[in-house]
Amino acid sequence: MSNEDILNPKQMPREPEKATLEGKNKFIGFWFFLGGETVLFASLFGTFLALRNSTAGGPGTEELFGLELVFIMTMLLLTSSLTSVYAMYHMKNNDFGKMQVWLGVTVALGLAFLGGELYEFNHYIHEYEFTFRSSALGSSFYTLVGFHGGHVLFGLLWIVTLMVRNAKRGLNLYNAPKFYIASLYWHFIDVVWVFIFTVVYLMGKVG
Amino acid sequence: MSTAVAQKKGFGAFIWDYLTTVDHKKIAHLYLVSGGLFFLMGGLEAMIIRIQLMKPDNEFISAGLYNEMITMHGTTMIFLAAMPLLFALMNAVVPLQIGARDVAFPFLNSLGFWLFFFGGVILNFSWFMGGAPDAGWTAYAPLSTTSPGHGVDFYVIGLQISGAGTLIGGINFLVTIVNMRAPGMSYMRMPLFTWTIFVTSTLILFAFPALTVGLFLMMFDRMFGSVFFDVAAGGNVIIWEHLFWIFGHPEVYILILPVFGVFSEVFATFSKKRLFGYSAMVFATVLIGFLGFMVWAHHMFTTGMGPVANSIFAVTTMAIAVPTGIKIFNWLFTMWGGSIKMTSAMLWSVAFIPTFTIGGMTGVMLAVAAADYQYHDTYFVVAHFHYVIVGGVVFGIFAALHYWWPKMFGKVLNEKLGKWAFWPFFIGFHLTFFIQHFLGLMGMPRRYWKFLEGQGLATGNLISTIGAFFMALGVIIFLWNVIYTAVKEPKASADPFDGRTLEWSIASPPPFYNFKQTPLVRGLDALWIEKSEGKKGMTPAEPLGDIHMPNGSILPFVMSFGLFIAGFGFIYQVDNPVWLSLVFIGMGILLGAMFVRSVKDDLGYHIHKEDLEKGDGQL
Amino acid sequence: MTKDTNSTHHNEFEKAEHKDEMKHQVISFAMMIIFTIAAFAVVATDAIGKYFTIPIILLLALVQVIFQLYYFMHLKNKGHEMPALMIYGGIAVAFMTILTFTTIIWW
Amino acid sequence: MKGWMGKFRALFMLGSLSLILSGCGVEKLSALKPAGYGAELLYDLMILSIAIMIFVFIVVMAIYTFVLIRYRRKKGQEDYIPKQTEGNKVLEIIWTVIPIILLLVLAVPTVQAVFDLAETSSDKADIRIDVTSAQFWWQFDYAGEEISTSQDLYIPKGKRVYLTMKSADVIHSFWVPSIAGKIDTNPGDNENTMYLEANEEGVYWGQCAELCGPSHSLMDFRVVVVSPEEYEQWVKDMKNADPEAKPETTVAQEGQKIFQNNCMSCHAIGAQPKGVGPNLTNFGDRSKVAGILEPTKENIVDWILNPNEHKPGNSMPPNLVNKEEAGKVAEYLMQLKPSEITPEDAK
């Protein structure tokens, strides 16, 4: 396949993300990377679970957490997962415009989520003096949730870069795999969040 | 384009070529040279340790410096010598063995190397910047989190950066093996070396994230005031032990599995026989990889996990002996009935069997959890892991270098010098480490700066030190062999050892595109099948056509350099926040390079059919 | 482009197929929302007591994640054998890790 | 289990394996010269595992030697192509099943021993000692007896002594090779337990087995095993130790004053108060100074003036007193021996 065919395909194939060898490699490689990320987050979850009662005299999880904000953030992130599914749906139908729109919605929801998280951290720090340094619980909480937040931020930058870079030229076999794995990444962030709201917040509230 | 650059002969162009290369064969050279240099550094540290322990109550180096030596010896040998040397072999051989023109992610391959390299450089910078890390290569908290100075900071940052490189390399080889095999090469037709690399890469993928997290926690504790390992604020130091060993145990299989692959190739080739029990070997490899994740806590029998956990981990650890035993017997029976030729590569492999059997035996002894209350953290353990890591990994690397040197550099290493290097190393090795089993049982804990008069440990330690000098001599002769071969030996043929696998079907060294036409694989030992049917080489699976090649890039070097700068910022911002500026500069360089990589299309280039027809290697 | 066709008919067929898949995905999204609400409700109302709550919300999370992996991320589709293998591998190691950190850290 | 293992050991005594091994190392230090319940149990396990492993090694080496001699390529065989065997089901099953059986033989006593040695919650416990490690010394608090001491751990022969282990700073590991195995001392709430049961009187080497800083290799201590009667006497003497008691000589009296002014803030004499440094009750009886130096006056003075010279990285400040004062303090410390039970009694 010549470079010209990749950049300006006459016809989009059924699975544009896997039409080239490079695309297939990216697809498989990224999934493998997510396998590794699973262990990374498991280690962070494990650390949090081991330290969840180590308050060092400071506030504990039951006292700290409120469910309302977490519920709203959860809904935002879950919905963003669906909107990125819509984006991929339009990618497969070779409808670049609609894909960009849905990616835009995804980014907006992700931003709102991040805003919520920052507000929440700020709240804990100022209202409860619960910080990264105040107790082992604090260290592990901010590390786990912060790692996830960092992933969200990176995902947003990544998707926006892709959107801007390709805005003028539309879909081709070179950028389709990039869009596809970005959306895989976004779903993975959502998977991690499902466990965060369950293990950190809900279990923290139960005590 | 890299070809254009390569034709300019100047030294600057040569350097530039290696800085920007994405060719797996050149990256193999980079890994080999830098891994080799770090190996010499680690060896020098080992010699200093052995001189310090030459006699009782010795004061050759101070206690603090001694702890730095043992820490750097362990860290260097594992992360900066053994791992990259194995990566050198993977890069040099795996794509050729599966009939691929390159790896799946040439750019990431280069990035992986440069991350490893700069990580190693940061770690070793510590010697000149106020002292090396001194908490042991295991860096148990809180000794490591409270260690004064910046030594352990260098450990954390250096390993974090080189660990990222390793993870990238692991994913790259997984995808390469999954996606890029030549037509006809099913999983059960892959050479065993490729199989072991596949399993090794899987272990890297699942083991390194635990280390990443552990290092982050330690970094946060040391540099940003978190309290994971500060018991006064509710921290728990056992978390580090678990995270380290969840990584650390698979790590030792990451080291040993590739050389199992090497030995499988060498035994088969130099016995002129198909590997005995190929499917059992594959199964054993996978099983070792799988069990490798269930045994880490045997490093922690004396931590106090309780009898239930100790028993479980004792039994799972013993279970690993079964697949390993299967391998030993399969190798023996590969040679059984064969026509054994004792080349240098074969010599190292043959020497491996008794050595590794002893290492495996002491491994089972250590798995006896209760008895480990006596062995743990003594010279018995030191002897055990040197028997498996030197007797296994280092012997394997030497065997592999002798075996694949023509494929990597176009010349066969001198046989006579090869044997001269082997004997002092082999004898020295057993002198150094066999006695250490007894030193441990006689009550000498490991990591002891000095032992005292009247403890009955003097003779054993002296013998051990003498052995170390023999090993050093062996290494020096090997280095001499490398130089001698480069100068004096003639160019090697494509298949100097009557090889069995695909890498021997192409020139030594191969052209940069490896295979002019992708070969068609018709079974295990693809080349052997063709040769036994009287054919000269492989049957092509495709007509001669344009070959797609990746573009070289300086970006991997730039990205890694950015992290290198940021690393110093992280280390020194504890003293003065001004240093944070380095973090921003370094991270800026990294993100900038990533951004460039992301927005600039890089589709590679094509070598045209007509150019290929003009002849091999002249491009 | 060797393998693909120019027929619009084929494209129509594909589009219909995508639409069908999209329908499944919307359904799984609805399920995920329901599970999430259920999990929050169980905790907020403290309806079933402390000892049952934790296993139930963990179970709800697990089911949700399976939807996410299999439908949103297409792990159920063909050509996902290797990804599935590596994800299972990751989950196995993750499980061991978390088991460890909840059992043999404290004693 | 013990009896069975005993017979097993007797069997191998004949095979001389055990004899060879027990020739290794010095008394009271080597794990190969066990003199306590734990060490003997572990020694038996070692012998069992070595025996099995040597059997395996002999089998491997027999095949190995045969193969290398028989199938070495000889002159004129350069073109010989051997038969390309794929494998052999029967052989492969044999070398899978036999190791499994051997490992089971090893696994059963392993698990038994692990649980045996972990049985530290027994009611039989008459002596409980809290062990606290610190860089680079050991504190021993006899629970229920109001006795504290450091570096020399007195225990009665033939009785089980239960230890609770913790650390004041980094992780250390408590190891008395001839009496029992080792266990880590962790900081924080991660306390460990083990027991010692010595069969012979004597002064045993104890060591730190987990890297803990520059002087890790110098963090020695002694376990002094005495008869139960002597132990009772020792306990009585320790309880009677009085930090205010007036020494006999004037030099020692001056030394006491200097000690009270400069050293008492860290070093306690008697059970209370607990200092950050080693407890020095009945110091005159100690077998070593700081666990490593011979108990002479010069060594004590030298230590007081420059502790870092002997144990790099330890936290005792140097030159708190001048040389003359140090001499007086040494004089005072050396006469702190109200106990009639000394390490000499154990020998």
Side-chain angles (χ1 to χ4, degrees), chain A residues 1-3 6-7 21-22 24-30 32-37 39-41 43-44 46-47 50-51 54-56 132-137 139-141 143 147 154 158 161-162 165-166 169 172 174 178, chain B residues 103-105 167 171 174-176 178-180 198 205-207 209-210 212-214 216-217 220-221 223-228 230 232-236 239 243 246 548 591 594-595 597-606:
Chain A
M1 205 183 294
S2 77
N3 291 352
I6 292 170
L7 285 180
L21 179 62
E22 284 70 26
K24 276 185 216 140
N25 287 345
K26 275 207 172 82
F27 168 78
I28 293 272
F30 198 78
F32 290 0
F33 171 73
L34 293 183
E37 287 261 282
V39 181
L40 185 123
F41 276 103
S43 306
L44 290 169
T47 307
L51 298 173
S54 302
T55 55
F132 188 54
R133 300 172 185 198
S134 62
S135 66
L137 169 68
S139 297
S140 60
F141 169 79
T143 303
F147 252 80
F154 185 82
W158 184 4
T161 309
L162 279 178
R165 168 67 183 92
N166 296 299
R169 65 175 174 184
N172 56 38
Y174 181 68
K178 295 189 176 198
Chain B
V103 291
F105 304 111
L167 184 60
I171 293 177
L174 276 178
V175 180
T176 305
V178 170
N179 264 2
M180 314 236 333
F198 182 69
L205 176 64
F206 295 138
T212 305
V213 170
F216 267 123
L217 304 188
F220 292 161
D221 261 23
M223 300 174 200
F224 300 105
S226 66
V227 289
F228 291 104
D230 180 357
N236 189 326
I239 290 175
L243 283 176
I246 286 173
H548 176 244
L591 288 172
M594 282 170 75
F595 182 76
R597 172 70 186 164
S598 176
V599 299
K600 222 178 126 232
D601 287 352
D602 180 13
L603 290 135
Y605 65 98
H606 287 83

Side-chain angles (χ1 to χ4, degrees), chain D residues 221-280:
Chain D
F221 60 98
R222 296 291 181 285
V223 176
V224 183
V225 181
V226 292
S227 70
E229 300 77 41
E230 286 168 325
Y231 177 76
E232 290 305 320
Q233 182 61 42
W234 178 81
V235 169
K236 209 172 285 167
D237 293 340
M238 285 297 283
K239 278 184 173 166
N240 291 337
D242 178 9
E244 301 299 328
K246 218 173 171 103
E248 280 167 20
T249 66
T250 42
V251 184
Q253 282 169 11
E254 286 173 45
Q256 184 182 29
K257 205 154 264 151
I258 300 167
F259 183 85
Q260 284 169 343
N261 291 337
N262 294 290
C263 315
M264 277 287 238
S265 53
C266 296
H267 295 285
I269 288 178
Q272 299 294 331
K274 211 170 159 179
V276 298
N279 183 303
L280 297 181

Side-chain angles (χ1 to χ4, degrees), chain D residues 1-22 31-49 51 199-200:
Chain D
M1 159 161 182
K2 201 78 230 302
W4 181 79
M5 290 294 292
K7 270 179 223 145
F8 197 82
R9 183 147 56 102
L11 194 77
F12 272 88
M13 283 286 193
L14 297 173
S16 81
L17 175 66
S18 195
L19 268 178
I20 295 168
L21 283 179
S22 58
L32 300 173
K33 293 184 189 298
Y37 177 81
E40 278 171 4
L41 180 70
L42 301 181
Y43 183 75
D44 291 342
L45 264 177
M46 278 185 212
I47 297 296
L48 172 66
S49 58
N199 298 337
E200 290 163 32

Side-chain angles (χ1 to χ4, degrees), chain D residues 48-296:
Chain D
L48 172 66
S49 58
I50 292 175
I52 294 177
M53 289 306 130
I54 285 181
F55 167 73
V56 174
F57 189 67
I58 288 170
V59 172
V60 170
M61 289 320 286
I63 303 173
Y64 177 81
T65 318
F66 173 76
V67 164
L68 286 183
I69 294 171
R70 169 71 182 73
Y71 297 107
R72 184 90 185 258
R73 195 178 300 175
K74 296 171 192 75
K75 270 225 166 76
Q77 287 187 333
E78 282 77 12
D79 295 328
Y80 164 68
I81 305 284
K83 191 167 164 260
Q84 305 288 311
T85 22
E86 282 191 22
N88 184 320
K89 282 266 152 51
V90 179
L91 276 177
E92 288 175 47
I93 288 171
I94 288 174
W95 64 57
T96 310
V97 171
I98 291 180
I100 291 178
I101 294 170
L102 290 179
L103 289 174
L104 282 177
V105 171
L106 196 52
V108 173
T110 299
V111 174
Q112 279 178 336
V114 166
F115 277 90
D116 183 352
L117 293 176
E119 196 48 67
T120 49
S121 54
S122 160
D123 302 330
K124 289 179 290 181
D126 35 8
I127 304 173
R128 288 187 178 276
I129 303 171
D130 292 331
V131 177
T132 311
S133 58
Q135 285 170 326
F136 302 93
W137 57 281
W138 300 84
Q139 166 97 12
F140 306 112
D141 299 313
Y142 288 64
E145 300 279 12
E146 305 265 314
I147 301 178
S148 285
T149 183
S150 63
Q151 299 302 58
D152 281 11
L153 173 64
Y154 279 74
I155 60 169
K157 177 188 153 185
K159 282 198 177 166
R160 240 170 229 205
V161 178
Y162 290 85
L163 308 177
T164 307
M165 331 285 293
K166 57 173 182 278
S167 171
D169 39 47
V170 303
I171 302 174
H172 305 270
S173 192
F174 178 96
W175 188 31
V176 193
S178 294
I179 301 182
K182 66 179 77 65
I183 200 154
D184 289 1
T185 60
N186 300 313
D189 299 332
N190 299 321
E191 278 182 5
N192 281 328
T193 52
M194 72 178 284
Y195 62 79
L196 297 177
E197 187 182 327
N199 298 337
E200 290 163 32
E201 290 184 29
V203 182
Y204 293 85
W205 294 76
Q207 295 172 309
C208 174
E210 182 63 65
L211 180 64
C212 57
S215 290
H216 166 54
S217 62
L218 302 172
M219 197 173 151
D220 289 356
F221 60 98
R222 296 291 181 285
V223 176
V224 183
V225 181
V226 292
S227 70
E229 300 77 41
E230 286 168 325
Y231 177 76
E232 290 305 320
Q233 182 61 42
W234 178 81
V235 169
K236 209 172 285 167
D237 293 340
M238 285 297 283
K239 278 184 173 166
N240 291 337
D242 178 9
E244 301 299 328
K246 218 173 171 103
E248 280 167 20
T249 66
T250 42
V251 184
Q253 282 169 11
E254 286 173 45
Q256 184 182 29
K257 205 154 264 151
I258 300 167
F259 183 85
Q260 284 169 343
N261 291 337
N262 294 290
C263 315
M264 277 287 238
S265 53
C266 296
H267 295 285
I269 288 178
Q272 299 294 331
K274 211 170 159 179
V276 298
N279 183 303
L280 297 181
T281 313
N282 292 1
F283 185 83
D285 287 339
R286 295 281 167 84
S287 54
K288 297 275 176 184
V289 177
I292 43 170
L293 302 172
E294 287 307 314
T296 63

Side-chain angles (χ1 to χ4, degrees), chain B residues 38-49 69 73 77:
Chain B
F38 284 127
F39 178 77
L40 294 181
M41 285 207 57
L44 193 66
E45 285 147 12
M47 295 310 292
I48 293 171
I49 293 171
M69 284 294 162
H73 169 68
M77 284 304 199

Side-chain angles (χ1 to χ4, degrees), chain A residues 90-105:
Chain A
H90 291 296
M91 182 183 93
K92 291 199 171 173
N93 287 339
N94 200 13
D95 188 341
F96 182 70
K98 280 193 184 147
M99 180 184 93
Q100 290 278 73
V101 170
W102 282 110
L103 283 179
V105 177

